[in-house]
Amino acid sequence: MINPDNVADYAKQKENENYRFRIFLKNNADPKKLDEQFLELHRELFPSYDCSQCRNCCKEYHGTIPEEDISKDAAFLGMEDDTFVEKYLKYNRSEGYYETIHCPCDFLDQNTGDCVLAECKPENCRKYPYTDQPDRWGSLYGIIDSAGVCPVVYEMLERLKREYHFGPRAGRRVYPNDPCPCGSGKKYKQCCGRYR
């Protein structure tokens, strides 16, 4: 797995390739199968990854708090609602929700990497990067954005590229005697191109 400190740089280097891969998926992937593939990778990779050692998502994004959670979160921190909002939040009128004033998120404990809201952590934070949620086919821009923040999402995209035999030559014609893009070492006509 890529180091969290380097993921933005690696994703930037692969940005054009990732956008080409998005177009490839939009034209070739079955949306239900793609959801299953993301879910399988999510279940394989996240249990063995310690997010508290990374927390790039908390460092790169403003935390968002639904209005209906403010009282619960304020009570958890032993504060009045108004004080909680004044100290930590600003209202994003265009999106219709509260977000943390600062980035990194105001609720990130820099020493432990944990959220100080603990079990009151907002649902959108708990679900990030949403790779186990339905309709990933419709959210591929978000996945590409997340690959620059989350090492696990970066790894998912790289594995999916291999699974779909997508590589630097993708989008260009592969001739029968070319090496197969899947990396098998065989000629394309004797490997993935055999059934075309």
Side-chain angles (χ1 to χ4, degrees):
M1 190 82 59
I2 195 166
N3 184 310
D5 295 334
N6 301 331
V7 71
D9 293 333
Y10 279 90
K12 187 68 175 163
Q13 291 172 12
K14 296 224 176 204
E15 188 174 46
N16 289 335
E17 180 181 314
N18 288 342
Y19 283 122
R20 284 195 316 275
F21 185 52
R22 177 198 171 273
I23 292 166
F24 174 85
L25 290 174
K26 285 288 197 177
N27 291 320
N28 297 289
D30 174 73
K32 285 185 179 183
K33 183 179 181 200
L34 189 62
D35 280 350
E36 290 168 7
Q37 290 167 313
F38 268 112
L39 183 59
E40 183 180 320
L41 287 168
H42 183 96
R43 288 178 176 163
E44 176 189 341
L45 296 172
F46 270 105
S48 62
Y49 189 75
D50 183 5
C51 289
S52 69
Q53 298 304 307
C54 172
R55 291 295 185 227
N56 281 351
C57 52
C58 304
K59 296 171 189 170
E60 297 294 323
Y61 299 124
H62 289 273
T64 59
I65 308 279
E67 194 165 356
E68 59 271 13
D69 288 357
I70 288 176
S71 293
K72 173 184 67 153
D73 295 347
F76 182 79
L77 296 178
M79 303 172 85
E80 295 293 324
D81 293 5
D82 293 341
T83 308
F84 176 78
V85 170
E86 185 177 315
K87 183 172 182 177
Y88 295 115
L89 305 176
K90 62 183 176 185
Y91 190 71
N92 184 327
R93 294 191 193 290
S94 63
E95 298 293 330
Y97 55 71
Y98 285 92
E99 62 186 19
T100 56
I101 295 170
H102 303 102
C103 190
C105 179
D106 291 294
F107 303 113
L108 173 65
D109 183 326
Q110 297 285 344
N111 296 322
T112 65
D114 292 327
C115 179
V116 296
L117 292 175
E119 67 269 1
C120 293
K121 181 191 246 183
E123 183 179 11
N124 62 341
C125 294
R126 279 185 268 126
K127 289 184 175 181
Y128 184 83
Y130 316 109
T131 48
D132 60 343
Q133 302 299 304
D135 194 27
R136 295 303 82 206
W137 187 84
S139 305
L140 290 171
Y141 279 127
I143 295 290
I144 291 170
D145 182 50
S146 294
V149 174
C150 178
V152 178
V153 178
Y154 180 92
E155 178 69 19
M156 285 180 182
L157 270 182
E158 294 305 305
R159 287 190 185 190
L160 283 171
K161 288 176 194 173
R162 288 192 297 272
E163 194 168 325
Y164 281 95
H165 306 297
F166 184 89
R169 288 192 61 125
R172 296 184 211 138
R173 179 155 187 220
V174 179
Y175 293 94
N177 288 322
D178 285 346
C180 189
C182 75
S184 67
K186 297 179 183 178
K187 290 184 177 184
Y188 180 67
K189 68 182 180 186
Q190 296 168 336
C191 191
C192 296
R194 184 180 339 165
Y195 303 107
R196 294 197 183 246

